[in-house]
Amino acid sequence: MSGQKGAGVDLAERGAGFAEFWQERHIPTLTTVRPDGTPHVVPVGATLDLETGTALVITSGASRKARLIAAAGEEGLPVAICQVDGRRWSTLEGRAVVLDSPEAVAEAERRYASRYKPPRANPVRVVLEIRVTRVLGNV
């Protein structure tokens, strides 16, 4: 599904606890940076694909986060996605791009439904694909 070039990190080597943490129902936050340098932090639903080293977020193409990422072009925008559950936490850093093909959106919706619930209809939905380059945390 990847719309990005370049190697990420091997998420599968992080172990079963890491994989389970990113499958449990948590609401992560996504941090992007506005053109003026200030952070834009919003709650999102995210799924993690261990095999491709990518995190996927579905959102409206008109959302601020999607517009910030789209403006960065093919190189993507540096972002961080973080989730916390008590003392357990994990932050994934990487570069995000916007995918809008019907196939990419359908796959991301399927993954979202398996972690959360079926998403409501949104004809302007896009996918934020984050190629993970760094993992922080204690899971």
Side-chain angles (χ1 to χ4, degrees):
M1 173 168 181
S2 180
Q4 300 185 64
K5 299 174 184 162
V9 296
D10 184 354
L11 298 178
E13 76 179 14
R14 305 289 302 185
F18 176 82
E20 289 170 11
F21 186 65
W22 280 97
Q23 292 169 353
E24 296 168 2
R25 189 181 190 288
H26 298 294
I27 305 298
T29 58
L30 175 70
T31 303
T32 56
V33 178
R34 297 181 186 100
D36 69 2
T38 59
H40 177 254
V41 184
V42 294
V44 296
T47 60
L48 187 60
D49 186 330
L50 297 174
E51 291 181 20
T52 64
T54 57
L56 303 175
V57 173
I58 58 174
T59 190
S60 171
S63 69
R64 178 72 170 168
K65 59 190 165 290
R67 289 182 290 129
L68 286 169
I69 293 167
E74 289 183 15
E75 292 297 312
L77 184 74
V79 301
I81 190 163
C82 180
Q83 66 182 24
V84 178
D85 181 37
R87 297 181 63 155
R88 300 182 310 150
W89 65 278
S90 179
T91 297
L92 309 175
E93 296 178 358
R95 296 188 85 81
V97 295
V98 175
L99 306 178
D100 61 3
S101 74
E103 299 81 15
V105 171
E107 177 63 14
E109 288 173 335
R110 183 190 67 75
R111 291 174 182 268
Y112 179 96
S114 72
R115 185 175 188 195
Y116 301 102
K117 63 182 182 178
R120 61 177 164 49
N122 181 346
V124 294
R125 179 169 287 136
V126 297
V127 180
L128 309 179
E129 181 189 64
I130 304 160
R131 167 72 56 198
V132 179
T133 57
R134 179 181 293 160
V135 178
L136 306 167
N138 65 2
V139 294

